[in-house]
Every structure is written in C-alpha cells, then in structure tokens.
Amino acid sequence: MAIQNAPQRIPFGRPVIGEEERQAELDVLAGSQLVHGPRSKAFEQGFAARLGPEAAATSVASCTAGLHLVYMHLGIGTGDEVIVPAQTHVATAHAVEITGARPVFVDCERTTGNIDPDALAAAITSRTRAISVVHYLGLPVAMDAVMDIARARNHPVIEDCALAIGGAVDGVACGLIGDVGVFSFYPVKHMTTAEGGMVAGRDHDLIRSVERLKAFGYDRMLGERKVPGVYDVVALGLNYRMNELEAAIGIEQLRRLDGFDAARRRNAAALRTALAGVPRITVLADGDARHRHANYCLAVVLDDDLGPRRPEIIERMAGMGIGTSVYYPGPVPHMTYYRQKYGISLSNFPEARRISLNSIALPVGPHLAEHHMREVAAALSDVIRELPA
Ligand SMILES: *Cc1c(COP(=O)(O)O)cnc(C)c1O
C-alpha cells in the first residue's frame, strides 16, 4: 500500500496524451459512428504501413483478444499443444489455454529473458501445433533459431509483440518475422488506445480471417452489405473489435511514435551507462547490430544473495519518488492456476524464476528525460549500498 500511495516524480509508466488525442475524441463523439467506422480502418492502415510495405493489420479489443483470435483461426483446440515462453505475461498462455489446447512452457535464456531455442526444440512433441514467442521487454527473440525449428516442422510462429513496437531483426519489424504478430495498446505500453491491440502480419488471408472472427464470423462487414442488416455467418466468432474512440487515440499516438521511440532509445542508453557502477546487479542484455531493442523498460537482475531484499529496495526507491515494476511476478507456469492444473514444480524453469523473483524493471518511457535516468541509477546505487545488513 505504501508503495502505491507514494507520490512518484518518476513514474514507471505514464501514457503521453495531448490536445490532439482529446480533440480526436470530441470529433468521434460529435458524430454517430462509434464502431465499424473509418478511424479503425485508418489506424490499421497506418499501423501496418509502419511495420512494412507488405504488412496487413486488423485492430482488436486487446492483445489478449488478438492472440485468442489467432489460435481460433489456426483451429487449435483440445488435444493440441502450443509452445509458450515461461517468462511472459499470463495472456500469452491464457490465449492458448482458453481454446482447450495445452500450453507447453519453455524456460528462458539467462542473459536476455527470451525463450531458449534449445529448450524450445526439446519441448516439441507430436501434438505440437504452434510456437509462440514473446520479445521480452522489447528485446527481439533469437528468431533465426526459432524459425529454423518451426520451418523444419511446419509449425506457425506467433509473436507476442506486446512489448516490441519498434523492435526488429535485420530490419524486419517484430510481428513480420514469424507468421503473425499481436500488439498491445494498454496504457503503459509503447503507445496506447486505453485498451486495444492489433493483429498484423504478411499473410493477408490470415488477417482477413481474424477480421471476420473478431466480428461474430459475419461474412461481410457493415460497409459491404448491399441491404442494411442483411448478412450471413460463416464462422464461430466473438465480439473483439476496437471501437472508434480507441482508434482515434491510436491514430494520434502513431504520429507521436517516432518521438516515443527516440526518447526510449536515448533514455535506455543513458540508463545503461549510468548503471555501470551500481554494485550487485546485472543488467539484461542489450540489442546488437542485428536485433533492434524496442526498449520497453530496462530490467536489472539482483545478485542471488540480494534477491530476497527486492521488496525493500523497491519500497525505498518508491519513497524517493521513483516508480519501478516487476516483469513478471513469477513464471507463468508457477502461477497457481497453471501449477495446480498441470502439476508443475517450482524447481522447473529456474532461469525464468530467477529473473521473475530477482529483477526490478526500471522506467525509460517517453514521459521521462535523460536527467531522470541518472537519478534512477543513482537512487538504485544508494539504496543497494545503504541497505541495512
Ligand atoms: C501486456 C501484455 C499482454 C496483454 O496485453 P493486453 O492488451 O492488456 O491484452 C500480452 N502479452 C505481453 C507480453 C504483455 O506484456
């Protein structure tokens, strides 16, 4: 409670919303079209164009909804298995679980938090139907290795890009490397629509299919109906659409995205430099010439002996007005639902457990300036040095 109530001069995340977004909302409300309108189309086209000229995209209610729709499109269900990283948001697994299929969890690499390709290969069985990956905290996964494994067995690869807007491998945007990418516009992510998500990829038929599934399985969308109100239903679908108010925010946020990206890069670089002298921590790996980091945040992993002191460290930083977060509070297979259902031991997934329990996510968002980064690093350094024994 104390952590949440402390005033934060340097919050972990805060959406950057301006006059343009406010005016765009008023414009939507002044009209009568709140769903199925031109804004969601324009947002989809603008988002796809940013990913690459060959991309198509369809907006959805959230990243979770988008992942669910992808598995529905793939026909995945009871008796099937889908590879899921252990070190991710629970949504990556829930989207599989909700179809009746079984998520088969795979541990992460120690230095990146991304799925370990060797462990991935070892987890594949005759029931595997798809492979999902998450670009953890914005660092692209070793996609060469993942795609080799997937192509050899003809498995589709689903990229959870909730933290990866701006990430790329060899200049190819995250989301276009595998078979489909799913993005999140939750408030503290790279850009926001309040709630919202996007399914994007090179496979236009897949995107078209997801578009149908997000709208009840209608055979034609509102604008395509010759006689108003007359349609057929050709698939089992849901109502997972994004509305016009959300899309209107998204259009304005797209205009800000280059600036957001530049600020994140600048802040992450400054924070990495400033953290160099901080004792008893390791900073998770940076991108390289091939893997462009999306810089969602910067996570430091406390040395094993310091790990149990994490709550105190976080609380002391909060007391200094510095917001931090934890990504994620535990490996997904260790969450009660999955642990009980699949009888998973806490000794499984040791690397994901180490990062989950020992890491602190530090802010680098565009709501912060470079001098804040030096303040964050100095505060962490002081707190660690001054911890009572
Ligand atoms: C936030 C997040 C999600 C969920 O996104 P929503 O848009 O809130 O559904 C999924 N996967 C990852 C990796 C996330 O960080």
Side-chain angles (χ1 to χ4, degrees):
M1 294 304 266
I3 292 174
Q4 266 160 16
N5 290 339
Q8 293 184 333
R9 280 176 306 107
I10 305 181
F12 176 77
R14 193 175 66 202
V16 177
I17 301 283
E19 194 47 47
E20 294 83 354
E21 282 83 353
R22 281 189 277 277
Q23 189 56 51
E25 293 302 273
L26 293 176
D27 291 346
V28 175
L29 292 172
S32 58
Q33 197 155 26
L34 300 183
V35 288
H36 297 292
R39 287 175 179 84
S40 59
K41 284 284 151 227
F43 181 37
E44 289 162 0
Q45 283 162 12
F47 192 86
R50 280 192 63 97
L51 291 181
E54 73 280 34
T58 190
S59 58
V60 287
S62 66
C63 177
T64 310
L67 290 166
H68 186 195
L69 292 167
V70 166
Y71 293 120
M72 287 173 68
H73 161 76
L74 292 172
I76 281 167
T78 308
D80 296 333
E81 292 178 356
V82 175
I83 301 290
V84 173
Q87 183 65 2
T88 187
H89 187 283
V90 70
T92 321
H94 275 3
V96 172
E97 180 77 10
I98 199 76
T99 67
R102 178 185 182 129
V104 173
F105 294 102
V106 171
D107 205 0
C108 65
E109 301 168 327
R110 192 179 185 87
T111 57
T112 66
N114 276 331
I115 196 163
D116 178 338
D118 294 331
L120 190 170
I124 288 178
T125 75
S126 59
R127 291 176 299 281
T128 305
R129 291 282 316 280
I131 294 169
S132 70
V133 298
V134 62
H135 305 293
Y136 179 65
L137 308 184
L139 177 67
V141 165
M143 290 302 285
D144 282 357
V146 170
M147 295 313 292
D148 284 350
I149 294 164
R151 294 287 178 254
R153 298 164 177 85
N154 229 0
H155 292 320
V157 173
I158 295 94
E159 300 178 64
D160 180 335
C161 296
L163 304 177
I165 293 179
V169 179
D170 294 331
V172 179
C174 290
L176 301 185
I177 308 164
D179 294 276
V180 62
V182 188
F183 297 82
S184 173
F185 307 126
Y186 184 75
V188 296
K189 305 226 163 150
H190 290 75
M191 55 174 277
T192 190
T193 60
E195 293 271 18
M198 192 74 80
V199 180
R202 287 167 282 103
D203 181 347
H204 291 224
D205 290 340
L206 181 155
I207 299 301
R208 175 74 197 157
S209 166
V210 167
E211 195 164 45
R212 183 173 286 151
L213 295 173
K214 80 177 182 188
F216 307 107
Y218 290 155
D219 66 330
R220 65 204 99 161
M221 301 306 144
L222 207 62
E224 301 164 352
R225 293 174 191 163
K226 289 200 192 75
V227 181
V230 174
Y231 55 80
D232 190 12
V233 172
V234 295
L236 177 65
L238 291 156
N239 180 356
Y240 275 177
R241 288 182 300 247
M242 173 180 283
N243 66 50
E244 289 289 283
L245 286 160
E246 292 165 331
I249 302 175
I251 290 168
E252 298 306 326
Q253 292 272 295
L254 276 185
R255 297 187 218 282
R256 300 184 191 275
L257 201 49
D258 284 335
F260 288 169
D261 182 69
R264 285 180 180 279
R265 290 184 81 68
R266 176 204 67 208
N267 287 347
L271 186 53
R272 265 183 200 282
T273 304
L275 287 169
V278 179
R280 302 169 76 190
I281 63 163
T282 307
V283 184
L284 285 185
D286 200 355
D288 56 31
R290 297 190 53 213
H291 299 81
R292 185 182 195 275
H293 204 308
N295 298 304
Y296 174 67
C297 64
L298 208 154
V300 299
V301 185
L302 305 175
D303 288 356
D304 286 339
D305 61 323
L306 194 57
R309 311 291 299 271
R310 182 173 72 170
E312 264 172 277
I313 295 171
I314 289 173
E315 194 163 357
R316 280 163 188 262
M317 289 188 70
M320 300 163 87
I322 297 172
T324 60
S325 191
V326 168
Y327 283 79
Y328 294 90
V332 176
H334 292 183
M335 297 290 181
T336 300
Y337 174 85
Y338 287 102
R339 197 161 42 80
Q340 289 185 346
K341 176 160 181 181
Y342 295 112
I344 292 166
S345 157
L346 293 180
S347 60
N348 289 339
F349 314 107
E351 298 300 341
R353 185 171 176 81
R354 194 175 140 271
I355 293 177
S356 292
L357 298 188
N358 291 356
S359 69
I360 301 175
L362 303 174
V364 302
H367 59 299
L368 299 174
E370 205 171 328
H371 68 86
H372 291 125
M373 300 298 106
R374 291 189 288 273
E375 225 184 299
V376 170
L380 180 64
S381 185
D382 289 350
V383 166
I384 291 177
R385 288 175 207 276
E386 290 161 17
L387 268 187

